[in-house]
Amino acid sequence: MLERNSIGSDARSLAAAVRSGSLFAREVIEQHLEHLDRINSEINAVVTVAGTSALSAADEIDARVARGEPVGALAGVPFTVKDLIATAGVRTTAGSYALADNVPRIDAPAVARMRDEDAILIGKTNTPEFGASGLTHNDVFGYTVNPLSPAGTRLSPGGSSGGESAAIASGMSVLGLGTDFGGSVRWPAHCTGLYSIRPTPGRVDPDGQYPGVMRDHRVLTNTATMHGAVQTIGPMARSLYDVSMVLRVLSSPQYRWIDPAEVNTHNLDIRWAPGEGTVPVDAEIRAATEAAALRTASSVRSVAPYRGTALCEGDDLFTRMRACETQTDIEQYGPAEFSDNIRAILASVRPTSAADVEALWAHRAELQHRLLSEMGDVLVLPVASILAPPLERTSFDVDGTALSWSQALASSRAISILGLPSVVVPVATSESGLTIGVQVIARPWHEHHALAVAAVLS
C-alpha cells in the first residue's frame, strides 16, 4: 500500500488511488480526522464530527476493493456538509438552539447522492442561524475564522456557507456541500480561494434544507416561497475539476448533463461588468474582473463590456421579494430559542397582498427575459464588493460608501433572483494577500458553458 499524506489532495486523485487499491480509504479518513482535531479549535469550521461512522464507511469501502467489487466515483473522499442540510444520523442544527439536538433520520437527496458514490461524510460545518447572514457565526457555536487570515488578523470566511469554505480551504475536508440563496457558496469561495457552483435552481434536488416543510422526517422545499424557489445546494472544492465532478453526481437525472470538456468555447460570446451597477465595488476586484474577462479573448468568439440594464434592477428586486416572505418555515421551530437576528427578521415581516407579490414575480420574469437578451452566452461579474472582511465587522467602506454585508453581495443577489447558474473561480490576489474570485455566469441549464470558460481562467 502507498503511504502518503492525503491532506490537500484533490478528490479525483484520492478516489482513483482508493479504487486502485494503492491507498486505503481508512488511511485517508484517519488523516483528515487527525488534521481536523489539530486545527479546528482555531478555525471553528466543523461543529459536529462524524468520526465513528466515517471510519466504518472507510472500512466497508476497503473491504469491497479487496474483494474486487466496484466502488463509486468518489470512493473514500472525505466531505463535509453545511449544518443547514439534513444528514441521517448526524446532528443538524441550522445554527439554532431551536434545533440544537436535532438528528435527522433521512439524508437530504444531495447527501444521499454523495454517499451513493462512496464519498465519506466526516462532519457538519458552521453556518449563521438558518443561513440568514452573510457572515458565519451563531449563538450556538460562535464565529468561524478564515484559515487564510494573514498573521495577526482574524478574517471572516464569508457566509452563509463559511464553515464549509473554511473546512475545505484548511484541508480538513476535500469536498463540501453548501447552500446558496444570495451568494452563500459564491461569497465564501471568493473569501477563501475556492471554486464553487451555484447551479440552476432545480438541477440539484433542493429538499433536505432547513428551514422547510417538515413531513415524515423529511425537510421538503416550500416552492411557494421566494426562499424555496431561489435557494440551491451547490458544491465547493479546491479544484475546478472536483466541483464539476460533484455537480455531475448531484445533477438530477431528468436533466441532461453535458461535459464541459466538449464545449467549443470559440463559439461563445462573453460579456463582463465591474459590478451590478448600483453598489460600489472595490477597485482591485473591479480590475481583477476585467482582467479575467479579457484573458478569455483568445479562447472565445467575442469579449465585450455588458451594456444592458437588467442587472441593476436585480438586487432591489431580491430585497423587495425577500421582504414579502412570511417566514412561517422558520417560525415553526421557535420562537423561544431564536437569536436576536432571527427575531429581528420575524419582526420585520409585513403583510403583502397576493396581487403585489404576483407583480414582483411578473417583474422577475421580465428581468430574466431582458438579461438573457443582453448577456451573451456567459457573463463575468464580481462575486462581492469587498474582500474577505475582518471578523465581527458588519459595515464596510467602499469608495466612501458604507455597505452592509447584504449590500456588498449585490452582484451575487442579482444573479440569484434571476435564476442563473454561476461558477466562482479564484483569479487574483489583492495587494494585502487576499484572494479574489469572479462569477462566471451562464444561461439557465448551461452550467457546461460556465465551467468551460472557468477552465480557461483556471
Side-chain angles (χ1 to χ4, degrees), residues 26-43:
R26 171 171 268 269
E27 180 183 5
V28 174
I29 297 305
E30 285 179 338
Q31 290 175 354
H32 280 81
L33 290 174
E34 289 168 4
H35 183 62
L36 189 161
D37 187 59
R38 282 195 304 271
I39 70 171
N40 191 49
S41 61
E42 300 175 10
I43 297 171

Side-chain angles (χ1 to χ4, degrees), residues 272-274 284-296 303 305 380 382 438:
W272 65 272
E284 288 186 283
I285 295 174
R286 296 197 309 268
T289 303
E290 179 178 2
L294 296 180
R295 210 158 75 229
T296 68
V303 179
V380 178
V438 298

Side-chain angles (χ1 to χ4, degrees), residues 390-436:
L391 205 67
E392 302 186 38
R393 181 82 60 83
T394 57
S395 180
F396 316 100
D397 181 85
V398 180
D399 294 342
T401 299
L403 302 180
S404 66
W405 65 261
S406 57
Q407 291 171 318
L409 296 181
S411 291
S412 285
R413 284 156 49 107
I415 295 307
S416 289
I417 198 62
L418 297 177
L420 277 62
S422 174
V423 177
V424 169
V425 185
V427 295
T429 302
S430 73
E431 290 184 3
S432 59
L434 302 182
T435 60
I436 300 174

Side-chain angles (χ1 to χ4, degrees), residues 93 95-102 129-130 140 330 333-338:
T93 73
S96 179
Y97 276 119
L99 292 168
D101 299 316
N102 176 54
E129 188 171 17
F130 295 112
V140 184
I330 290 179
Y333 303 112
E337 297 168 295
F338 289 155

Side-chain angles (χ1 to χ4, degrees), residues 39-88:
I39 70 171
N40 191 49
S41 61
E42 300 175 10
I43 297 171
N44 193 33
V46 179
V47 296
T48 299
V49 180
T52 301
S53 59
L55 290 170
S56 177
D59 289 341
E60 191 268 337
I61 290 170
D62 287 335
R64 285 160 54 198
V65 171
R67 294 193 298 266
E69 298 174 3
V71 291
L74 300 174
V77 177
F79 78 107
T80 42
V81 173
K82 184 178 183 177
D83 205 26
L84 285 182
I85 303 173
T87 45

Side-chain angles (χ1 to χ4, degrees), residues 189-208:
H190 161 74
C191 290
T192 58
L194 300 181
Y195 295 83
S196 70
I197 304 174
R198 173 191 165 83
T200 305
R203 179 173 288 283
V204 177
D205 191 321
D207 286 348

Side-chain angles (χ1 to χ4, degrees), residues 6-27:
S6 63
I7 304 301
S9 296
D10 62 276
R12 174 168 54 171
S13 300
L14 285 179
V18 169
R19 286 197 303 271
S20 70
S22 62
L23 190 63
F24 285 123
R26 171 171 268 269
E27 180 183 5

